[in-house]
Amino acid sequence: MDILKLLYDYFPTAVYTGKCLVFVSEDWRIELTQHKNADYSQLNREFPLIRVRIFQKALNGEFVPGHYEDFQLDSLSELSTQIERYIQFAVGANIREGQ
């Protein structure tokens, strides 16, 4: 299951690259990537791990990697809500409305 395609419907301001979801503003770049679970004891988990990486624009104009957080929730609604909250608190902007 490609969760990124499902999250793309939830986040209308994102760009889907086929590899990740990307949000770009003047000061921030946010990437959502899907990772396979390396824990083989949990083979039946429906939802993979989603990594949210935050980049901030430096004075030289390049995006510098900052922090990241991994999300693995079994509900698409809860997953998208928690990712949205995390990003809002990290960058201080609502990503669903554009920046």
Side-chain angles (χ1 to χ4, degrees):
M1 175 185 299
D2 192 356
I3 301 300
L4 293 179
K5 286 184 181 179
L6 298 173
L7 288 172
Y8 177 68
D9 292 334
Y10 185 81
F11 297 113
T13 60
V15 174
Y16 182 62
T17 68
K19 178 183 166 187
C20 65
L21 278 181
V22 179
F23 303 89
V24 179
S25 73
E26 190 172 315
D27 298 319
W28 301 96
R29 175 183 171 96
I30 301 159
E31 295 179 354
L32 278 65
T33 53
Q34 181 173 315
H35 296 270
K36 302 290 184 207
N37 191 353
D39 183 358
Y40 296 109
S41 68
Q42 297 183 353
L43 289 176
N44 294 331
R45 280 195 81 103
E46 185 176 338
F47 282 77
L49 183 131
I50 301 296
R51 177 164 289 167
V52 179
R53 296 180 65 201
I54 308 282
F55 298 81
Q56 187 170 19
K57 189 176 271 188
L59 294 175
N60 65 2
E62 293 185 25
F63 287 103
V64 179
H67 52 282
Y68 70 89
E69 192 63 47
D70 294 334
F71 291 83
Q72 192 166 22
L73 301 168
D74 290 334
S75 160
L76 183 63
S77 175
E78 185 66 19
L79 177 66
S80 56
T81 299
Q82 292 304 317
I83 288 173
E84 181 179 20
R85 288 185 63 183
Y86 174 75
I87 294 171
Q88 283 179 350
F89 291 134
V91 304
N94 186 340
I95 59 171
R96 286 179 54 105
E97 296 175 0
Q99 299 175 29

